């Protein structure tokens, strides 16, 4: 960490990405409440998150854009244009203007996809390969830390000054991101043209994920894991109200506990990456979530809080392991598209998990869902732990061995 932070351009990188994300999270949290206040409709408030998700689901297209042009100018343009568009929310004054909120949330989701693809591809050009894990870990530590303050920032400013002020702060965060990237010096060559058409270019990321055994295994395990984790968006309310007999707002305590352990996990992820390897670090995170899911089924406050600690520690392990594996395995000219393909798969998986959790909670007792979640998470963790391709010092398996392993895993599933 000291080595990373001793570099001026990395200090700018962490400052820009952190403050930009703070502004985004504050607006995302405030948007639904803002629409609810303007319209009185819970259903219309829920459309805010739907608009954001629809924007992020364009990540394969965003990845193609990130690979077809220089990435630093793309980041500068994305920050500038999105920041200006967010300012349009200062003109929202009544129920007739909520379409502007939906439009900006969609653009925000698309901007996140562009930014994630471009930064994932640029980070290996900013740091040495052995520092990637620490850089991704510190990014996750900062992300978990800001989640401790953004609920109060977004909702508090909305209540005190209105949504326009929250929008102005988000626009200012994009301006900070623009300035930071403007001063970051990075080797960012112009991409070489290819003979593929745009459809082939856009789907190349999916093709690389499917052809590369280690990334295919990681992505499959993560899609299943994030599907289950998405179910806890709804399940956590049942744990709080039905299991612990507490008010729904007590979920905020669990979120805070997860944020604290997430900071620690992010700071340690770089060190854990060396002995475990990227794939097994992800598997460790999934395993911790599996144990935490069992804890969530126990109607005791201390056990549920301990489960939340495991959730918070496990999430950065999953993300840091998966992103670092992607960056170390993928050719730089494909990184944007592969990152976009992976983001599409896990976002779709998490969204389906949220929908499944909402549907199941009304017909299945929450503990039974938690037990099933624990089993699925454990299965995905064991799958990664037993793959030779995920071993840090193991030689790649032959095609025959890989086929045998995948057949065995399918049979066990």
């Amino acid at each position: 960490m000291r080595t990373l932070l001793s570099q001026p351009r990395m200090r700018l990188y962490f400052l820009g990405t952190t403050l930009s994300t703070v502004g985004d999270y504050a607006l995302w949290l405030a948007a639904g409440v803002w629409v609810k206040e303007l319209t009185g409709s819970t259903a219309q408030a829920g459309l805010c998150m739907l608009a954001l998700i629809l924007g992020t689901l364009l990540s394969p297209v965003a990845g193609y854009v990130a690979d077809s042009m220089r990435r630093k100018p793309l980041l500068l343009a994305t920050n500038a244009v999105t920041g200006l568009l967010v300012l349009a929310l200062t003109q929202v004054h009544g129920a007739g203007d909520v379409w502007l909120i939906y439009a900006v949330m969609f653009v925000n989701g698309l901007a996140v996809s562009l930014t994630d693809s471009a930064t994932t591809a640029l980070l290996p050009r900013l740091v040495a390969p052995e520092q990637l894990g620490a850089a991704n870990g510190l990014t996750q530590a900062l992300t978990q830390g800001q989640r401790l303050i953004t609920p109060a920032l977004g909702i508090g400013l909305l209540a005190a000054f209105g949504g326009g002020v929250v929008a102005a702060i988000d626009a200012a965060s994009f301006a900070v991101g623009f300035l930071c990237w403007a001063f970051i010096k990075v080797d960012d060559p112009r991409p070489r043209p290819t003979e593929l058409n745009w459809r082939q270019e856009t789907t190349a990321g999916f093709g690389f994920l499917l052809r590369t055994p280690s990334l295919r295994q990681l992505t499959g395990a993560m899609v299943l894991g994030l599907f289950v984790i998405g179910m806890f968006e709804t399940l956590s309310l049942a744990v709080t109200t039905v299991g612990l007999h507490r008010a729904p707002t007590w979920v905020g305590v669990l979120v805070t506990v997860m944020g604290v352990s997430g900071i620690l996990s992010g700071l340690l992820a770089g060190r854990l990456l060396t002995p475990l390897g990227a794939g097994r670090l992800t598997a460790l995170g999934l395993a911790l979530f599996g144990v935490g899911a069992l804890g969530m089924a126990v109607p005791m406050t201390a056990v549920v809080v301990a489960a939340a600690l495991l959730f918070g520690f496990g999430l950065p392990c999953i993300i840091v392991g998966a992103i670092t594996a992607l960056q170390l395995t993928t050719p730089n000219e494909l990184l944007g598209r592969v990152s976009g393909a992976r983001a599409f798969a896990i976002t779709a998986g998490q969204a389906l998990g949220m929908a499944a959790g909402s549907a199941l909670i009304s017909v299945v007792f929450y503990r039974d869902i938690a037990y099933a979640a624990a089993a699925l998470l454990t299965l995905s963790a064991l799958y990664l732990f037993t793959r030779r391709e995920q071993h840090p010092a193991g030689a790649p398996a032959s095609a025959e061995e890989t086929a045998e392993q995948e057949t065995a895993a399918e049979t066990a599933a």
Side-chain angles (χ1 to χ4, degrees):
M1 294 295 178
R2 285 194 295 269
T3 302
L4 283 173
L5 294 177
S6 67
Q7 305 172 45
R9 67 180 183 179
M10 292 309 298
R11 291 198 296 269
L12 287 171
Y13 171 84
F14 290 122
L15 176 65
T17 53
T18 300
L19 292 183
S20 293
T21 309
V22 166
D24 285 344
Y25 282 173
L27 179 63
W28 300 347
L29 290 167
V33 179
W34 192 6
V35 171
K36 172 71 173 178
E37 290 179 347
L38 292 173
T39 66
S41 170
T42 302
Q44 290 190 56
L47 291 177
C48 289
M49 189 54 64
L50 176 61
L52 180 70
I53 290 174
L54 289 176
T56 58
L57 287 176
L58 291 176
S59 57
V61 178
Y64 166 63
V65 174
D67 282 344
S68 62
M69 62 184 296
R70 293 175 61 209
R71 288 145 181 165
K72 178 177 172 179
L74 174 62
L75 286 168
L76 293 173
T78 300
N79 278 282
V81 172
T82 311
L84 290 173
L85 289 175
V86 167
L87 285 176
L89 294 184
T90 59
Q91 303 306 307
V92 174
H93 303 295
D97 301 322
V98 296
W99 67 270
L100 269 174
I101 300 177
Y102 300 146
V104 169
M105 291 293 281
F106 175 82
V107 171
N108 231 296
L110 178 57
V112 167
S113 295
L114 286 167
T115 301
D116 284 353
S117 291
T119 53
T120 298
L122 277 179
L123 187 58
R125 295 186 175 276
L126 289 171
V127 299
E130 62 271 15
Q131 291 182 314
L132 276 174
N136 288 323
L138 182 53
T139 299
Q140 279 303 302
L142 293 170
T143 298
Q144 299 304 316
Q146 67 200 19
R147 285 177 177 167
L148 299 177
I149 63 171
T150 46
L153 181 66
I155 305 300
L157 288 175
L158 176 68
F161 304 106
V165 172
V166 182
I169 288 176
D170 191 27
S173 74
F174 280 108
V176 172
F178 178 92
L179 289 173
C180 288
W181 276 108
F183 288 100
I184 291 175
K185 295 182 179 180
V186 58
D187 178 25
D188 184 25
R190 189 179 302 277
R192 290 177 292 183
T194 69
E195 296 180 356
L196 301 177
N197 60 44
W198 70 271
R199 290 179 182 174
Q200 293 171 318
E201 293 278 16
T202 303
T203 57
F206 291 100
F208 187 83
L209 282 178
L210 292 173
R211 290 193 310 270
T212 309
S214 61
L215 295 184
R216 184 175 66 244
Q217 294 162 4
L218 264 173
T219 303
M222 281 195 68
V223 169
L224 177 59
L226 268 294
F227 171 83
V228 176
I229 292 170
M231 295 171 65
F232 277 92
E233 295 288 338
T234 302
L235 196 59
S236 59
L237 283 172
V239 170
T240 300
T241 57
V242 179
L244 301 182
H245 305 290
R246 295 180 180 272
T249 53
W250 203 80
V251 171
V253 175
L254 300 181
V255 173
T256 301
V257 169
M258 289 176 60
V260 171
S261 60
I263 294 172
L264 177 62
S265 176
L267 294 175
L268 293 176
R271 293 186 179 183
L272 293 173
L273 191 68
T274 301
L276 291 176
R280 293 193 172 188
L281 179 61
T282 298
L284 173 64
L286 291 169
L288 291 174
F289 256 96
V291 177
L294 284 177
M296 287 289 175
V298 180
M300 296 176 58
T301 299
V303 176
V304 170
V305 169
L309 284 170
L310 291 176
F311 277 8
F313 197 94
L315 186 59
C317 292
I318 295 172
I319 296 173
V320 171
I323 292 179
T324 306
L326 192 79
Q327 291 167 326
L328 291 174
T329 306
T330 308
N332 194 265
E333 64 270 14
L334 266 175
L335 254 176
R337 282 165 288 175
V338 176
S339 174
R342 169 192 160 277
F344 176 86
I346 64 175
T347 300
Q350 189 168 11
L352 289 173
M354 292 168 65
S358 298
L360 288 173
I361 198 65
S362 60
V363 294
V364 181
F365 191 47
Y366 86 92
R367 289 183 199 166
D368 295 328
I369 301 175
Y371 295 145
L376 290 173
L377 288 164
T378 302
L379 178 64
S380 61
L382 286 174
Y383 173 73
L384 284 183
F385 270 122
T386 56
R387 301 304 96 184
R388 283 189 58 190
E389 292 86 352
Q390 307 303 331
H391 195 283
S398 66
E400 292 79 6
E401 290 172 329
T402 301
E404 290 174 1
Q405 291 169 348
E406 291 174 352
T407 301
E410 290 171 2
T411 301

